[in-house]
Amino acid sequence: MKLRITVLPGDGVGPEVTAEAVRVLQTVAEFAGHDFQFQEKRFGGAAYRASGSPLPPDTLDACLQSNAVLLGAVGGPDFDELPRHLRPESGLLQLRMALGGYANLRPAVSYKSIADCSPLQPAATEGADILVVRELLGGLYFSEDRGFSEEGTSAFNTMRYSVEEIERIAHVGFREARRRRRKLTSVDKANVLEVSQLWRKVVSRVAREYPEVKLEHMYVDSCAMHLVNDPRRFDVILTENLFGDILSDESAVITGSLGMLASGTIGGTVNLFEPVHGSAPDIAGRGIANPLGAIASAAMLLRYSAGLEQESRDVEFAIHSVLEAGYRTADLARGRSRIDLVSTVQMGMQVEKVVSDILDSRHAYHAV
Ligand code: IPM
Ligand code: MN
């Protein structure tokens, strides 16, 4: 198959981790006989520096003309003082809006081999496997009704959702739950917010179309507590934009490092794949960032944008297997005093090796 992928390395550790994700995708293409074409474009702070805009028109055009976008990370302390519309984060929000993907899927799983990285008890996290389905184009992030009062003594944002926006994200949540363990927890603040009362009503109505999925409603504060107390009780968590932003970072605690987490945004014209972690300016350029979140995002790209479910699983298996073999980047060193750390590139090459071995043997088998 032919696939055009726009790569937006972005800022900080973004270029380092996306290079490893591209390495793995190239290997998949080569060994499985696909034609993946990569085109790299400036984005975020890097684009602002070069052209005065975090999302230059040629970057956006390239994204819109591709089959999938692979993004590293954006932002950094250099850009904190810029007006809002020029900030790298604003480029990211503009890109999300332009690509139209409203469903952001953020899996958080516990890996047995790095269970010691989590501050949670291994007994509590073992086997945890959560998918946060975060609404990505609505709520406080995108409301037009926002700003500062004239005197600057107050400021406001508005959380607003339409029935249609809730319905479409609810369908994604239920469909994902149906392919998993058929449990969906819808998270809101319906004891206080009207928008959450509407959310609850609409989700309950959509649930009737998925009788095989068990639905529960939970308040966001309670969910935040249960996530670290008993993460195994969750399968799919369905929630609005800001709650999902917060809960998905929190769910990284289950895995042990934010560097491990992947995300994929679907539902629009072009799907967007990016690790959950940020640009990590403190470790940028040192070659020590964990590329596994970016590589796992590439696995999601294979699943959701290329329809290559088997190859997607192969990459996920490879991630498990390099961790089991003991390879760790610096963020995974917690709890171990003497441990051999690997660099970003070494970690990427280990994953690449496992993936090529799997694909090679499968190919050889089919050729016989
Ligand atoms: C994320 C990030 C972004 C968000 C920022 C960088 C705009 O935190 O992808 O979770 O809040 O969505
Ligand atoms: Mn976030």
Side-chain angles (χ1 to χ4, degrees), residues 207-282:
R208 290 193 218 125
E209 296 176 45
Y210 303 86
E212 64 280 48
V213 177
K214 191 177 171 321
L215 166 68
E216 67 172 346
H217 298 282
M218 193 179 277
Y219 297 137
V220 62
D221 48 352
S222 170
C223 178
M225 187 269 293
H226 285 303
L227 255 179
V228 285
N229 206 30
D230 184 17
R232 278 180 301 204
R233 75 187 301 296
F234 295 104
D235 178 11
V236 171
I237 291 179
L238 170 71
T239 193
E240 67 88 41
N241 205 345
L242 182 64
F243 295 164
D245 180 43
I246 298 168
L247 294 176
S248 58
D249 266 35
E250 190 191 351
S251 66
V253 175
I254 297 158
T255 307
S257 167
L258 196 52
M260 293 294 304
L261 262 62
S263 94
T265 302
I266 62 170
T269 2
V270 183
N271 295 337
L272 171 66
F273 300 88
E274 49 178 321
V276 174
H277 65 74
S279 61
D282 52 327

Side-chain angles (χ1 to χ4, degrees), residues 101-241:
Y102 55 85
N104 181 225
L105 312 180
R106 300 188 159 187
V109 297
S110 138
Y111 296 87
K112 208 170 172 179
S113 45
I114 54 165
D116 61 309
C117 294
S118 173
L120 305 177
Q121 306 269 4
T125 57
E126 196 181 334
D129 180 358
I130 300 173
L131 178 68
V132 177
V133 176
R134 170 187 176 193
E135 199 292 323
L136 204 64
L137 293 186
L140 287 163
Y141 276 65
F142 288 99
S143 63
E144 297 289 327
D145 215 5
R146 65 192 297 163
F148 295 92
S149 69
E150 243 167 61
E151 314 75 39
T153 50
S154 66
F156 63 103
N157 294 85
T158 319
M159 194 190 280
R160 179 184 290 274
Y161 271 102
S162 68
V163 168
E164 199 202 333
E165 285 172 310
I166 304 169
E167 271 171 2
R168 64 181 189 174
I169 189 71
H171 280 290
V172 174
F174 283 106
R175 279 200 294 266
E176 290 296 322
R178 198 163 55 183
R179 333 197 264 145
R180 294 169 49 98
R181 301 192 309 281
R182 295 187 288 281
K183 183 174 172 191
L184 185 141
T185 307
S186 175
V187 175
D188 60 42
K189 188 69 186 172
N191 49 346
V192 178
L193 306 174
E194 283 82 354
V195 61
S196 286
Q197 287 155 14
L198 182 69
W199 180 279
R200 202 171 265 224
K201 204 167 108 186
V202 173
V203 171
S204 298
R205 198 168 64 218
V206 172
R208 290 193 218 125
E209 296 176 45
Y210 303 86
E212 64 280 48
V213 177
K214 191 177 171 321
L215 166 68
E216 67 172 346
H217 298 282
M218 193 179 277
Y219 297 137
V220 62
D221 48 352
S222 170
C223 178
M225 187 269 293
H226 285 303
L227 255 179
V228 285
N229 206 30
D230 184 17
R232 278 180 301 204
R233 75 187 301 296
F234 295 104
D235 178 11
V236 171
I237 291 179
L238 170 71
T239 193
E240 67 88 41
N241 205 345

Side-chain angles (χ1 to χ4, degrees), residues 36-52:
F36 291 178
Q37 292 165 5
F38 298 90
Q39 188 183 19
E40 205 173 292
K41 289 284 170 186
R42 280 207 187 93
F43 181 58
Y48 170 76
R49 268 205 196 101
S51 69

Side-chain angles (χ1 to χ4, degrees), residues 7-77:
V7 181
L8 308 178
D11 307 319
V13 298
E16 298 163 57
V17 298
T18 40
E20 300 314 309
V22 169
R23 180 200 298 284
V24 171
L25 286 174
Q26 260 159 349
T27 302
V28 169
E30 185 187 327
F31 281 82
H34 300 297
D35 178 13
F36 291 178
Q37 292 165 5
F38 298 90
Q39 188 183 19
E40 205 173 292
K41 289 284 170 186
R42 280 207 187 93
F43 181 58
Y48 170 76
R49 268 205 196 101
S51 69
S53 160
L55 177 60
D58 77 307
T59 297
L60 179 58
D61 286 349
C63 291
L64 286 169
Q65 281 159 30
S66 55
N67 302 107
V69 177
L70 183 68
L71 169 69
V74 291

